[in-house]
Amino acid sequence: PNTFLQKKRQKMKKIPKLHDNKNNFIFYKNKQSQSHSKISILSYNILNQLFMKKYNRPDLSVDNRMKKIKNEILSLSPDIFCLQEADQYVYQKYFTSDKFAEYSTVYGVNCGSSFMNVVGFKKKKFILKSFKNFSLIFLGKMAGNRGVMNVQLEHEESNQFISIYNVHFPWKFEKDRYSIMTMIYEHIKEIDPIEKKPNVFIVGDLNSEPNSNVIKLLYFNDYLKEKDPALYKTIHGSLFGIAMNLPGKFGRKCSVGAYKVAQKFVGFN
């Protein structure tokens, strides 16, 4: 694990820094925002220990792995962190410990497994307004592990509302992932747009490729069209956007090529 993290850090150093990059996070600001406040969000699939049983290696024991993961998260000090593939043992021992005292945490148990999604947020910066763990039983047993939780927070400094969907989509069938994304989209539309206009974040493990129907639904919908017409037009109508969403192997090659170009010239990660 140490070698792995060192290699990743070395690789990150080679990525060109974008404007306003601080403390390993990239900050974005839309044109409509009047606030100068910044928040950092970390999403991390920590890989459940169930998948480590086949390796007879002391360095991959649950305690060794979680200590390193815990230290990595604390070193980044995100305002909000979202975990996938935790379980009760890991959650209780590592993410409710004294070292995480500055965070409040909530969790939701997934369907189809004992895995959990966890959201932690800094107590001094946020007030928990609501929390919901979605039932995904409707997908059936064949779908395997899946989980979606929604946490709504109020940022005390700016009084802005933040709605975070911490997700772990099933890997087997795209139709199941698409159904879940549709459910999330419908839930977003139910939020009262007059009383509160939350900043919406969908984070986690989508188990989806960039040109999949799940990602297309995320970008090619009326929500984005209403909230950011300029971005919607750029993605939906530009030659670059169309090329990145062509179907089949050729479309996939276009997507990969476009990301490589973006990585090289603008540091897109």
Side-chain angles (χ1 to χ4, degrees):
N2 275 332
T3 305
F4 174 79
L5 291 173
Q6 287 168 3
K7 287 181 179 179
K8 289 298 179 184
R9 289 193 182 104
Q10 289 298 322
K11 191 174 182 180
M12 288 296 292
K13 288 180 181 178
K14 297 178 182 178
I15 298 175
K17 289 186 177 181
L18 300 183
H19 177 68
D20 210 9
N21 186 320
K22 184 180 180 182
N23 296 331
N24 297 310
F25 290 95
I26 298 173
F27 293 90
Y28 297 90
K29 183 177 180 180
N30 60 36
K31 295 180 180 179
Q32 290 79 20
S33 175
Q34 301 299 317
S35 173
H36 297 287
S37 301
K38 297 177 183 177
I39 62 168
S40 55
I41 301 176
L42 179 149
S43 178
Y44 199 157
N45 184 328
I46 61 176
L47 189 61
N48 193 273
Q49 195 64 20
L50 180 68
F51 301 115
M52 294 290 102
K53 288 184 177 180
K54 60 182 178 181
Y55 301 106
N56 186 21
R57 289 173 48 183
D59 60 320
L60 292 179
S61 69
V62 62
D63 290 326
N64 278 336
R65 290 182 60 241
M66 290 308 137
K67 284 176 183 176
K68 290 178 171 63
I69 289 172
K70 176 191 69 176
N71 291 336
E72 188 74 6
I73 294 172
L74 291 172
S75 71
L76 293 168
S77 187
D79 295 324
I80 300 168
F81 65 84
C82 301
L83 307 179
Q84 302 86 44
E85 294 198 19
D87 54 35
Q88 280 288 350
Y89 173 80
V90 166
Y91 172 70
Q92 293 292 342
K93 185 170 182 179
Y94 295 102
F95 299 104
T96 60
S97 63
D98 292 340
K99 290 192 175 182
F100 280 88
E102 66 174 323
Y103 291 95
S104 290
T105 57
V106 292
Y107 68 86
V109 178
N110 291 5
C111 291
S113 77
S114 59
F115 296 175
M116 293 165 33
N117 289 353
V118 177
V119 174
F121 54 92
K122 289 186 175 178
K123 299 175 183 178
K124 292 183 179 180
K125 291 191 175 185
F126 303 98
I127 300 171
L128 177 64
K129 305 301 290 186
S130 68
F131 161 69
K132 178 177 181 178
N133 193 46
F134 290 80
S135 172
L136 303 178
I137 298 175
F138 67 91
L139 293 179
K141 292 182 179 180
M142 287 294 293
N145 171 71
R146 66 272 189 196
V148 175
M149 59 186 294
N150 174 246
V151 177
Q152 296 195 28
L153 307 171
E154 181 179 359
H155 186 229
E156 292 201 72
E157 181 182 344
S158 64
N159 295 120
Q160 291 196 32
F161 281 75
I162 300 165
S163 184
I164 299 175
Y165 294 86
N166 184 11
V167 308
H168 193 176
F169 285 4
W171 64 270
K172 287 185 179 180
F173 307 115
E174 186 179 25
K175 63 180 179 62
D176 291 338
R177 297 191 289 274
Y178 190 87
S179 296
I180 296 174
M181 184 61 81
T182 303
M183 178 196 70
I184 292 173
Y185 177 43
E186 292 301 320
H187 186 260
I188 291 172
K189 291 197 296 184
E190 290 175 3
I191 300 173
D192 190 342
I194 299 175
E195 182 180 357
K196 301 294 180 186
K197 293 184 178 180
N199 301 278
V200 177
F201 298 89
I202 301 175
V203 305
D205 188 347
L206 275 68
N207 269 315
S208 304
E209 295 183 346
N211 62 339
S212 68
N213 288 328
V214 174
I215 303 303
K216 287 179 181 179
L217 178 63
L218 181 61
Y219 284 106
F220 294 89
N221 58 41
D222 292 336
Y223 183 79
L224 180 62
K225 190 174 183 179
E226 293 170 5
K227 297 297 181 183
D228 197 334
L231 178 59
Y232 176 87
K233 185 177 180 181
T234 299
I235 294 174
H236 187 70
S238 69
L239 179 62
F240 187 74
I242 294 171
M244 285 180 66
N245 288 281
L246 291 173
K249 291 183 179 179
F250 176 74
R252 177 63 180 162
K253 287 182 179 180
C254 288
S255 297
V256 172
Y259 286 123
K260 287 181 178 179
V261 170
Q263 171 67 50
K264 184 175 181 180
F265 289 100
V266 299
F268 176 81
N269 183 15

